[in-house]
């Protein structure tokens, strides 16, 4: 029987609120067994860009990353933010190891090609991007890897890479060695039947139910890409995908996506 591994992804909204981040770390420390954390960037990088007179640019929720922007996001994501989270985990006796994709060559990306939009130094991942064996070795040493949203291309170039994509890719890469649960943690209790009612959590969604909910407009807009990524992860061998409130990861209220 494969050992359970939980991969958690938290977004910038949690990182921007020190109280929420501290509480999330406490909740994460209560979870026994092997785990990996992937974090987004928060507003710190955008605030610094504006101070320096560089206007942050986003298209479809993705940052346009020119050379100057890459310098700033690397300093924040791989530096201040990553090390702050690692220090908070250490405070809770979780032996965390902060990583970018360049460290140990653990995640190698390719620069996104220019199509309708030039995203600049943005990195895309494929099925060979993640070094699962290195991550397995770290996990066997009872370390908790903490990934920021910076990868590299193997040719000396750092790349800004979507944190949801990193979390999904890490989960899929380790699915042959572990029973992997992928947890997307944000400010809602799960997938809601009524977006105005935080208590209307749909507890379980299968692929068939998902198609019905999408057709009926219950799942729409910004939740669609998250759900598509989630079911792609399930198809690639991830056992379960959980969508839940970041402050309630140890509570039963959440949405679990299953293969069938």
């Amino acid at each position: 029987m494969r050992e359970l591994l939980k991969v958690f992804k938290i977004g910038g909204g949690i990182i921007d609120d020190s109280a929420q981040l501290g509480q999330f770390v406490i909740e994460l420390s209560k979870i026994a067994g092997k785990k990996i954390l992937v974090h987004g960037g928060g507003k710190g990088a955008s605030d610094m860009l504006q101070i320096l007179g560089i206007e942050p640019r986003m298209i479809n929720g993705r940052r346009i990353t020119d050379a100057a922007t890459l310098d700033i996001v690397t300093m924040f994501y791989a530096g201040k933010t990553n090390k702050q989270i690692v220090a908070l985990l250490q405070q809770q006796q979780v032996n965390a190891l902060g990583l970018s994709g360049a460290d140990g060559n653990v995640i190698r990306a390719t620069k996104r090609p220019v199509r309708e939009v030039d995203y600049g130094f943005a990195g895309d991942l494929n099925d060979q991007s993640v070094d699962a064996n290195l991550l397995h070795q770290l996990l066997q040493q009872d370390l908790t890897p903490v990934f920021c949203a910076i990868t590299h291309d193997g040719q000396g170039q750092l790349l800004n890479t979507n944190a949801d994509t990193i979390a999904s890719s890490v989960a899929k890469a380790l699915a042959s060695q572990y029973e992997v649960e992928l947890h997307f943690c944000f400010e809602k209790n799960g997938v809601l039947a009524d977006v105005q009612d935080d208590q209307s959590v749909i507890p379980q969604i299968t692929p068939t139910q998902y198609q019905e909910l999408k057709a009926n407009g219950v799942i729409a807009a910004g939740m669609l890409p998250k759900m598509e990524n989630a079911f792609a992860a399930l198809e690639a061998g991830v056992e379960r995908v959980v969508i839940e409130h970041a402050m309630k990861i140890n509570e039963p209220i959440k949405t679990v996506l299953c293969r069938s």
Side-chain angles (χ1 to χ4, degrees):
M1 186 175 179
R2 290 175 301 162
E3 190 173 6
L4 178 64
L5 167 67
K6 296 184 178 182
V7 178
F8 291 87
K9 187 269 174 177
I10 57 170
I14 303 167
I15 291 163
D16 292 330
D17 186 318
S18 59
Q20 285 197 58
L21 179 59
Q23 185 59 43
F24 170 80
V25 167
I26 290 171
E27 294 301 321
L28 185 66
S29 72
K30 297 175 184 177
I31 293 175
K34 300 195 179 337
K35 49 191 174 282
I36 293 173
L37 178 60
V38 180
H39 64 82
K43 293 189 301 184
S46 293
D47 291 345
M48 180 57 69
L49 284 166
Q50 290 181 322
I51 290 171
L52 295 173
I54 303 168
E55 187 63 31
R57 291 186 296 150
M58 308 284 287
I59 295 179
N60 298 325
R62 303 292 175 94
R63 186 183 295 276
I64 304 297
T65 309
D66 60 16
T69 300
L70 181 65
D71 285 346
I72 298 302
V73 299
T74 300
M75 284 190 284
F76 268 87
Y77 298 176
K80 181 180 184 295
T81 302
N82 186 262
K83 301 315 169 192
Q84 178 188 23
I85 293 170
V86 168
L88 289 170
L89 284 164
Q90 298 291 2
Q91 183 184 20
Q92 300 301 323
Q93 287 74 55
V94 176
N95 196 8
L97 178 67
L99 296 168
S100 73
D103 296 298
N105 193 28
V106 67
I107 304 177
R108 187 182 293 201
T110 56
K111 187 174 180 292
R112 185 172 303 162
V114 177
R115 296 192 177 97
E116 294 86 2
V117 177
D118 183 356
Y119 284 96
F121 294 101
D124 290 330
L125 305 182
N126 57 44
D127 291 343
Q128 285 74 49
S129 290
V130 177
D131 186 342
N133 288 329
L134 176 56
L135 282 176
H136 174 66
Q137 291 174 40
L138 296 175
L139 291 165
Q140 292 305 306
Q141 296 298 315
D142 292 326
L143 290 164
T144 295
V146 179
F147 281 103
C148 68
I150 299 295
T151 60
H152 77 132
D153 66 356
Q155 305 298 316
Q157 179 63 59
L158 295 172
L159 296 166
N160 182 20
T161 302
N162 180 265
D164 282 350
T165 303
I166 290 175
S168 296
S169 296
V170 166
K172 289 187 286 187
L174 288 162
S176 63
Q177 295 169 287
Y178 295 89
E179 180 183 330
V180 179
E181 284 186 4
L182 174 57
H183 292 246
F184 289 108
C185 306
F186 67 147
E187 70 280 359
K188 298 292 184 181
N189 289 329
V191 180
L192 304 178
D194 178 359
V195 293
Q196 304 301 321
D197 181 3
D198 283 345
Q199 302 308 309
S200 65
V201 176
I202 304 170
Q204 182 171 304
I205 303 176
T206 65
T208 301
Q209 289 171 317
Y210 170 56
Q211 294 303 325
E212 293 171 357
L213 291 166
K214 186 166 66 169
N216 294 330
V218 175
I219 296 175
M223 186 56 72
L224 284 173
K226 282 188 182 296
M227 297 293 284
E228 296 291 348
N229 280 336
F231 280 108
L234 291 172
E235 290 175 10
V238 172
E239 200 66 32
R240 283 172 295 281
V241 179
V242 181
I243 299 175
E244 62 195 339
H245 197 294
M247 302 299 105
K248 302 175 182 178
I249 58 176
N250 288 301
E251 297 180 19
I253 183 168
K254 57 192 66 189
T255 299
V256 179
L257 312 185
C258 304
R259 291 190 203 136
S260 60

